[in-house]
Every structure is written in structure tokens, then in C-alpha cells.
Amino acid sequence: MERTGERWFAAELNRHKGQLLLRQGYFEAAEELYRKALSTAEEQEAKLWELRAAMSLAQLRCDQSRHAEARDLLAPVYGWFTEGFDTADLKKAKALLDQLA
């Protein structure tokens, strides 16, 4: 990404880096990368990447027993979608929102 200047995958790349760090127990670093992924996706108006980043950050919040924050983060992103509710990403987001209700 740095070498070519291509940034269309930047949000998803940061989210994946965050997942790797989370698995290693680096919660704060993972959160920082999830926030960066979310910000990048919002700037690019990349709704799928935004949904995935919001789900990752919301799941982290859920794991920290911060359910209201998780719901407040994920619900508006999920609410943007008007179709595609049978896709894996939207099904996962809906399941997480149901869990947070």
C-alpha cells in the first residue's frame, strides 16, 4: 500500500492487523487499528469496510462488557444498508446487534 499508493484496501488491511494484534492480547493496539479502519472506510465512503470495522470494534466493546457503546457504534452503520441482508456480513452484524439488545 505504501509502495504503490493504492489505498482502496487500507481500511480492511488495518482491521486485519487489529485482529492479529487482538489474538496476541494487544487490546489497545487492536482498538487503535479498528478505529483507524473505521475512519478510513468513512473517508472513502466504503460501506462494507465500514461495517466490518464497526463490527470488529463493537465485538471488542462487547467483550469488554460495554454493550451500549457497541450497539451505538454498530447500529447506525448497519442501518445504512437497505438491501443485501442475506449476505454473511450483514447477517453477522444483525446477530451482534441482537446479542447487544
Side-chain angles (χ1 to χ4, degrees):
M1 187 172 72
E2 291 174 7
R3 185 174 37 96
T4 65
E6 288 293 326
R7 291 187 28 98
W8 71 271
F9 200 66
E12 187 68 351
L13 183 60
N14 282 316
R15 188 182 74 82
H16 280 283
K17 286 180 185 178
Q19 288 179 321
L20 291 171
L21 288 172
L22 186 63
R23 288 183 190 141
Q24 296 172 350
Y26 298 106
F27 301 102
E28 290 178 15
E31 179 179 343
E32 184 178 323
L33 283 167
Y34 290 157
R35 287 185 178 282
K36 187 174 181 181
L38 188 58
S39 174
T40 300
E42 288 171 348
E43 288 172 16
Q44 294 177 336
E45 298 181 6
K47 288 299 183 184
L48 176 60
W49 299 149
E50 187 177 345
L51 178 68
R52 288 182 178 180
M55 280 194 304
S56 293
L57 188 52
Q59 184 62 60
L60 179 61
R61 292 280 181 262
C62 182
D63 294 344
Q64 297 168 329
S65 297
R66 297 163 66 181
H67 297 177
E69 287 180 51
R71 186 178 47 256
D72 291 347
L73 174 75
L74 182 56
V77 179
Y78 179 82
W80 181 88
F81 290 88
T82 58
E83 60 186 354
F85 294 105
D86 59 339
T87 62
D89 288 307
L90 287 173
K91 285 180 180 180
K92 288 178 187 175
K94 176 69 169 128
L96 182 54
L97 284 169
D98 289 347
Q99 178 184 343
L100 295 168

